[in-house]
Amino acid sequence: MLKIGIIKEGKIPADNRVALTPAQCKWVQENFSQCEIFVQRSESRCFSDREYRLAGITLTDSLENCDVLFGIKEVPPQQVLPQKKYLFFSHTCKKQPHNQKLLQTFLSKGCTLVDYECLRHEDGQRIIGFGFFAGIVGAHNGMMAYGNRTGTFQLKHVYQQRDFKTLIHTYFGLKLPNVKIAVTGSGRVAHGILEIMNLMGVIEVEKEDYLSREFAYPVYVQLKGADLYAHKESKPYNRDHFHEHPKDYVSRFENYLPHTGVLLNGVFWDKDVPRLFEKEAIRRKDFRIQTIADITDDENGSVPINVGDQTIENPVYGIDKASFEKTAPYLPNSVDVMAVGNLPNELPRDASKYFGEQLIKYVLPDLFSGESEMIKRATIAKEGRLTEAYGYLCDYAAGKVEN
């Protein structure tokens, strides 16, 4: 019998999402006879303790009797239980300084850590995540900010709606101005952005038309890898080569700066990947962008004027075009930036259901049948030792800080 525990999220600020909803827990127990699920009591979870109890799931204050523990965000080091197997987003595989102590704790307590972010198919495609709903919420927030700046329309915050279905109803009768919107990326985040574009009635156009003409209605263009990056030596764009050698490429997005009013950014970024534009570009007279929703949210990343996170309640700030200083939003000489690190928390019930479906389909069967190659590839630490694939984290785990 495999005992699975759903942990109470301990990170501050609190995250209200869950790995499995009450209905999903009930389904798992009914369809996997070798499994029993326990849910740690929580006052802040988007599904109440009562909903789990009504679904027939055991509630408990302690998960010490469980074999595998599922969470969402990082577990505070002081809450890590010894010799347990955890699955959550650890944010350690890139040597993130703020989670160094967390990895050290996992090793010292003999724990096993499987990181959702590292669960990938053989071709490197991520298996599980909240990207789609990050795209949904981020695109809405970006358009909300543009409406506030221009005064042409008004949208309420997503978190003020009960669920995605209710959010859709708020778009009935919405009339947007003839703005040009650039959508970057091709993954789950971009799919969420495109869903909102279509629900808002924004028309997709080809790149050539986007760059060469104006429209009497709102339009968007989706820019993927080959549209955004070019090889420095004019060689053809190759996705695998780009991810292996990003320094060999330059950004092509500057071509779109004079033609774009809103940027909805869903592109992957790492430290060697070219930025979409350089910070100094916002001083140019032909820099037309008024609002940027940096949905993938990398500080000083693909959007160089992202200077840090805002809150769900207050998601937008301005960047002064002359000084690059952070300002209040919607000022005449500023560019507005929407940057929030936990966007799916605005639709936690929908996002949790979406996440749990992926977990049930791709991860749970492998847990029940024994270790799979997919889970092995995502296991950062096993029983208190770094696995071979993550040996590069040795110095990080030893307490060293990179310059």
Side-chain angles (χ1 to χ4, degrees):
M1 177 69 69
L2 184 70
K3 295 182 179 180
I4 292 178
I6 306 297
I7 68 173
K8 174 183 178 179
E9 295 294 319
K11 185 178 180 181
I12 304 297
D15 196 295
N16 56 1
R17 293 169 290 174
V18 293
L20 292 168
T21 70
Q24 290 167 343
C25 288
K26 181 179 180 181
W27 187 92
V28 169
Q29 289 197 150
E30 290 176 349
N31 288 272
F32 294 93
S33 58
Q34 70 274 39
C35 168
E36 186 176 5
I37 297 179
F38 298 83
V39 174
Q40 194 171 22
R41 292 185 178 88
S42 171
E43 313 81 34
S44 58
R45 195 180 280 130
C46 64
F47 290 94
S48 68
D49 290 349
R50 180 175 182 273
E51 289 176 281
Y52 282 100
R53 187 170 59 252
L54 291 175
I57 307 304
T58 302
L59 292 163
T60 180
D61 290 318
S62 172
L63 297 175
E64 290 185 1
N65 68 320
C66 293
D67 307 300
V68 182
L69 305 180
F70 285 96
I72 299 297
K73 288 288 193 177
E74 303 97 312
V75 178
Q78 67 274 18
Q79 295 179 17
V80 174
L81 297 176
Q83 285 84 50
K84 297 298 181 183
K85 185 173 188 174
Y86 281 85
L87 289 87
F88 60 93
F89 291 103
S90 75
H91 299 119
T92 58
C93 64
K94 296 179 183 177
K95 302 184 179 181
Q96 290 94 323
H98 57 287
N99 288 324
Q100 190 175 45
K101 184 179 178 182
L102 173 62
L103 183 58
Q104 292 170 334
T105 302
F106 262 78
L107 298 177
S108 67
K109 291 191 174 183
C111 295
T112 296
L113 170 59
V114 180
D115 195 316
Y116 295 137
E117 186 177 355
C118 302
L119 287 167
R120 297 178 183 269
H121 295 290
E122 288 185 0
D123 63 358
Q125 183 67 36
R126 280 186 62 177
I127 289 173
I128 196 166
F130 287 96
F132 179 75
F133 277 95
I136 291 284
V137 177
H140 175 100
N141 285 356
M143 296 309 296
M144 177 181 70
Y146 182 74
N148 290 344
R149 167 171 279 278
T150 60
T152 52
F153 62 95
Q154 278 195 319
L155 291 171
K156 292 184 178 180
H157 290 273
V158 177
Y159 72 84
Q160 294 174 323
Q161 314 303 322
R162 173 175 168 79
D163 52 26
F164 185 40
K165 183 178 179 180
T166 308
L167 178 69
I168 293 173
H169 283 278
T170 67
Y171 300 147
F172 293 168
L174 176 66
K175 189 175 187 303
L176 301 177
N178 58 335
V179 60
K180 283 183 172 182
I181 302 165
V183 176
T184 59
S186 57
R188 287 191 178 96
V189 172
H191 293 162
I193 298 171
L194 298 181
E195 182 79 6
I196 292 298
M197 291 294 93
N198 295 329
L199 287 169
M200 288 186 175
V202 184
I203 307 299
E204 183 177 15
V205 296
E206 296 296 327
K207 297 184 292 293
E208 295 76 15
D209 289 335
Y210 187 91
L211 292 172
S212 64
R213 54 175 288 207
E214 296 297 324
F215 299 85
Y217 45 87
V219 301
Y220 76 88
V221 65
Q222 183 183 9
L223 303 173
K224 303 179 183 180
D227 307 313
L228 291 170
Y229 308 105
H231 197 282
K232 290 179 179 178
E233 297 177 3
S234 300
K235 296 179 181 179
Y237 173 87
N238 178 278
R239 182 179 181 274
D240 292 336
H241 185 269
F242 169 73
H243 285 288
E244 291 172 9
H245 307 281
K247 289 184 177 180
D248 292 348
Y249 292 78
V250 294
S251 174
R252 303 177 64 184
F253 187 69
E254 286 209 355
N255 298 329
Y256 294 86
L257 297 181
H259 305 278
T260 299
V262 176
L263 168 60
L264 304 177
N265 182 42
V267 75
F268 164 85
W269 188 80
D270 202 355
K271 62 182 178 64
D272 293 328
V273 174
R275 293 180 172 84
L276 294 178
F277 58 91
E278 293 305 320
K279 183 168 63 174
E280 291 73 18
I282 69 173
R283 290 174 170 169
R284 286 169 28 182
K285 290 183 179 180
D286 65 346
F287 187 92
R288 186 173 167 183
I289 300 175
Q290 295 178 275
T291 303
I292 299 175
D294 191 11
I295 299 166
T296 44
D297 189 24
D298 296 292
E299 184 176 348
N300 192 32
S302 52
V303 173
I305 57 172
N306 177 339
V307 296
D309 281 353
Q310 292 289 107
T311 64
I312 284 174
E313 295 78 15
N314 184 31
V316 186
Y317 56 85
I319 295 293
D320 186 89
K321 290 183 179 181
S323 67
F324 304 131
E325 294 295 322
K326 183 178 180 180
T327 70
Y330 318 131
L331 299 181
N333 195 46
S334 67
V335 179
D336 295 322
V337 177
M338 190 291 303
V340 176
N342 57 342
L343 288 167
N345 270 34
E346 295 200 50
L347 288 173
R349 293 174 71 93
D350 294 278
S352 297
K353 181 181 178 182
Y354 172 79
F355 185 85
E357 287 171 355
Q358 299 169 78
L359 201 62
I360 290 170
K361 185 183 296 185
Y362 295 112
V363 180
L364 287 186
D366 286 7
L367 280 177
F368 296 137
S369 62
E371 290 295 314
S372 68
E373 288 302 315
M374 176 196 71
I375 291 180
K376 286 180 182 177
R377 288 194 296 268
T379 303
I380 293 177
K382 185 172 183 179
E383 297 174 356
R385 293 179 178 272
L386 290 174
T387 59
E388 184 178 352
Y390 297 92
Y392 67 91
L393 295 174
C394 279
D395 287 348
Y396 172 71
K400 297 179 181 179
V401 179
E402 292 191 346
N403 294 325

